[in-house]
Amino acid sequence: MCGVAAWLGDDAASAVYELLLELQHRGQEAAGIAFLANGGIRLVGGPGLVREAIRLPAAAARAWAAIGHVRYSTSGRYGGEQYQPVAGSKGLVHIAFNGNIVNYRELGRELLGRSYTWDAQLVADLVEALYLEQGSLADALREAAQLLRGAYSLVAITSRGELAAARDPYGVRPLAYAVGDGYAAVASETAALDSLGLPWREVGAGRMLYCNGSPKDCVETGLASGHEPRPCAFEYIYFLRPDSVFEGVEAHAARLEMGRRLARRDTVEADLVAPVPDSGRSAAIGYALERGLPYTEVLYRNRYAGRAFIAPPGERNGRLKRKFNPIRSTTWGRRIILVDDSVVRGDTSRWLARILRRSGAREIHLRVASPPVVMPCFLGIDTPSRGELVAHGRSGDEISRVLGVDSILYLGMRDLEEAVGRRLCLGCFGGAYPFPLDVARLEKVFTEDRR
Ligand code: SF4
């Protein structure tokens, strides 16, 4: 996952800071901003949330171009020691990107003569080397797109004041921009641009926004030959803010429909429908509306505890325990249909079943608004091996037992695609990745490089 932002125009560093605050849900391990002021690019950032990680120095007030990033690590080391944006080795190009490059080791060895353990550094060095050859950021990114294999939505600036925002040929991750009088703005999600009142457009799959030093000189142009977009299904299921639009589809609307479709396949009797807050809420509303059952909340979620799923492994359990507390007046003696957006490792569901039973729930029927996650992701989600997935190699009954719920029902892949109304990447559900991947080899690569 991760979130990226960029701004060209007055007060660029502060504007990127504001956009990153709106994208905080996409990454909570680290944050950073690179800004162009006084002819050079400066980088600030570190571990933690945007407000903890970024202290803008006085020079940032003169920044005319800036890019920024919130990190959810899916390559390189856990924790905030590594953060983006990343500088190329000569400091002429800085990039920030959301996604994963599956051939970064080979590209590093074969083209740059170095071994890499972090795909972001490879992308920065490669784009900078191509920039030195081509003399234009747009041409460097076009050339890089012929070499990079994976999912990426990236922003880049050069010390000459060029700014670009590019989306991979399959458009796996979201990216949007707004260009107006005196500014060009970019953000991973449309909701971030909405929050600043900017009229946005999405960057098309295999396309880029390129600005040659001024907002007046911005154009959306081709990056690589197009494919049918294959947006990540998980963006619609979990990552996107409900008020964001990706490939023309609002996340909340898609999630409501996922819940409705799940409900149509269900006959279990229950007293109420409740979401796992907050990401299961839209689907739970759709489910309850479809079945005409009472909808309520059975869990309080501490919104200052962060998103447990995207926390580094060592922090997940502690965060989970602090995050939820049952609401006893709605759990005691009730048969609960608990709707979650997804079940990946199973830690959250197992913990919730335990605390709901402790607070008197009579039955817990877990309804999951996505298919079982049975395969790893190498395109921007930190699930690099099959062994950590609770549904891998288990039947529905076995999963129910492991999670401690009375029953479980998942959404099917076809219903998921129909709910979104788009062809999706469904790789982690055992469907198709956008392009062929050597899963066994990549499990090794992405597990080895994580510490
Ligand atoms: S494999 Fe799953 S999580 Fe990864 S990009 Fe595809 S749908 Fe998204």
Side-chain angles (χ1 to χ4, degrees):
M1 209 170 56
C2 299
V4 298
W7 189 275
L8 190 64
D10 284 337
D11 219 359
S14 302
V16 166
Y17 186 94
E18 294 299 319
L19 289 169
L20 291 182
L21 287 176
E22 299 295 330
L23 297 171
Q24 187 72 84
H25 61 287
R26 294 187 70 86
Q28 300 173 351
E29 276 178 73
I33 291 179
F35 60 91
L36 178 63
N38 304 329
I41 301 175
R42 284 184 60 181
L43 183 60
V44 288
L49 303 177
V50 173
R51 288 192 197 283
E52 302 154 357
I54 301 174
R55 295 267 173 277
L56 290 175
R62 291 188 293 280
W64 172 253
I67 59 172
H69 187 266
V70 286
R71 175 163 164 84
Y72 155 61
S73 66
T74 55
S75 172
R77 289 192 289 280
Y78 286 113
E81 187 190 329
Q82 287 176 322
Y83 63 90
Q84 297 189 39
V86 181
S89 55
K90 297 192 170 31
L92 302 174
V93 174
H94 282 59
I95 66 112
F97 95 106
N98 169 208
N100 271 138
I101 303 303
V102 296
N103 62 341
Y104 72 94
R105 281 186 172 186
E106 299 88 308
L107 290 176
R109 263 195 321 268
E110 290 160 20
L111 299 181
L112 302 174
R114 280 178 58 186
S115 64
Y116 285 82
T117 55
W118 187 23
D119 56 3
Q121 188 62 59
L122 172 279
V123 175
D125 287 346
L126 180 66
V127 172
E128 187 180 69
L130 296 168
Y131 177 65
L132 287 168
E133 271 174 41
Q134 305 282 338
S136 140
L137 182 60
D139 290 340
L141 287 171
R142 283 195 193 99
E143 192 79 17
Q146 303 303 315
L147 302 165
L148 298 171
R149 195 166 163 73
Y152 53 89
S153 280
L154 67 80
V155 289
I157 50 171
T158 68
S159 51
R160 278 203 345 236
E162 292 159 279
L163 183 146
R167 207 161 146 228
D168 72 75
Y170 293 93
V172 177
R173 303 276 154 222
L175 196 63
Y177 69 93
V179 177
D181 193 13
Y183 72 88
V186 181
S188 285
E189 292 191 27
T190 61
L193 298 171
D194 277 336
S195 74
L196 300 195
L198 306 177
W200 48 260
R201 296 168 64 110
E202 295 186 69
V203 179
R207 300 191 53 81
M208 74 176 135
L209 174 76
Y210 172 67
C211 302
N212 193 4
S214 159
K216 285 194 196 122
D217 219 349
C218 291
V219 61
E220 189 183 327
T221 177
L223 175 79
S225 53
H227 295 269
E228 183 190 6
R230 295 285 297 278
C232 166
F234 243 97
E235 291 282 351
Y236 295 101
I237 292 164
Y238 171 78
F239 286 122
L240 292 169
R241 278 171 49 158
D243 51 338
S244 277
V245 171
F246 180 24
E247 283 293 321
V249 178
E250 183 198 77
H252 174 70
R255 288 170 194 167
L256 271 183
E257 184 59 22
M258 290 172 204
R260 283 188 178 278
R261 284 171 180 265
L262 187 58
R264 279 180 216 142
R265 297 174 42 220
D266 203 2
T267 52
V268 73
E269 296 203 354
D271 300 309
L272 57 90
V273 178
V276 174
D278 290 319
S279 48
R281 189 166 285 126
S282 304
I285 294 169
Y287 182 101
L289 285 171
E290 187 69 24
R291 290 201 60 196
L293 286 167
Y295 171 89
T296 189
E297 303 272 333
V298 297
L299 292 159
Y300 169 76
R301 173 181 178 269
N302 176 352
R303 54 195 77 240
Y304 302 101
R307 297 185 106 178
F309 177 72
I310 63 169
E315 289 176 30
R316 275 179 208 141
N317 281 343
R319 216 173 259 203
L320 194 53
K321 288 184 180 159
R322 289 195 307 276
K323 191 169 153 181
F324 294 106
N325 199 33
I327 300 169
R328 190 167 272 250
S329 65
T330 56
T331 57
W332 192 260
R334 306 297 165 85
R335 298 168 302 169
I336 298 169
I337 292 176
L338 185 67
V339 180
D340 206 351
D341 58 276
S342 57
V343 175
V344 180
R345 303 178 192 95
D347 306 338
T348 303
S349 314
R350 200 165 26 232
W351 175 247
L352 294 182
R354 208 164 128 197
I355 61 175
L356 286 172
R357 287 207 198 279
R358 268 200 326 235
S359 72
R362 184 144 62 96
E363 292 173 19
I364 303 165
H365 301 282
L366 184 60
R367 297 299 179 259
V368 188
S370 58
V373 177
V374 293
M375 293 296 280
C377 175
F378 310 108
L379 302 176
I381 309 278
D382 184 29
T383 52
S385 76
R386 284 167 271 197
E388 64 192 292
L389 306 172
V390 71
H392 181 72
R394 289 194 175 98
S395 67
D397 285 348
E398 287 168 333
I399 299 167
S400 295
R401 269 198 298 281
V402 169
L403 300 181
V405 296
D406 295 282
S407 71
I408 192 166
L409 181 70
Y410 288 94
L411 190 69
M413 279 193 271
R414 176 182 291 192
D415 272 332
L416 172 58
E417 276 197 327
E418 287 179 1
V420 177
R422 292 277 176 285
R423 234 185 128 207
L424 301 170
C425 170
L426 294 169
C428 56
F429 305 113
Y433 296 99
F435 42 85
L437 291 172
D438 182 345
V439 171
R441 188 185 71 80
L442 289 171
E443 274 182 323
K444 199 159 167 285
V445 169
F446 278 89
T447 310
E448 268 174 17
D449 288 347
R450 310 289 278 140
R451 289 188 291 277

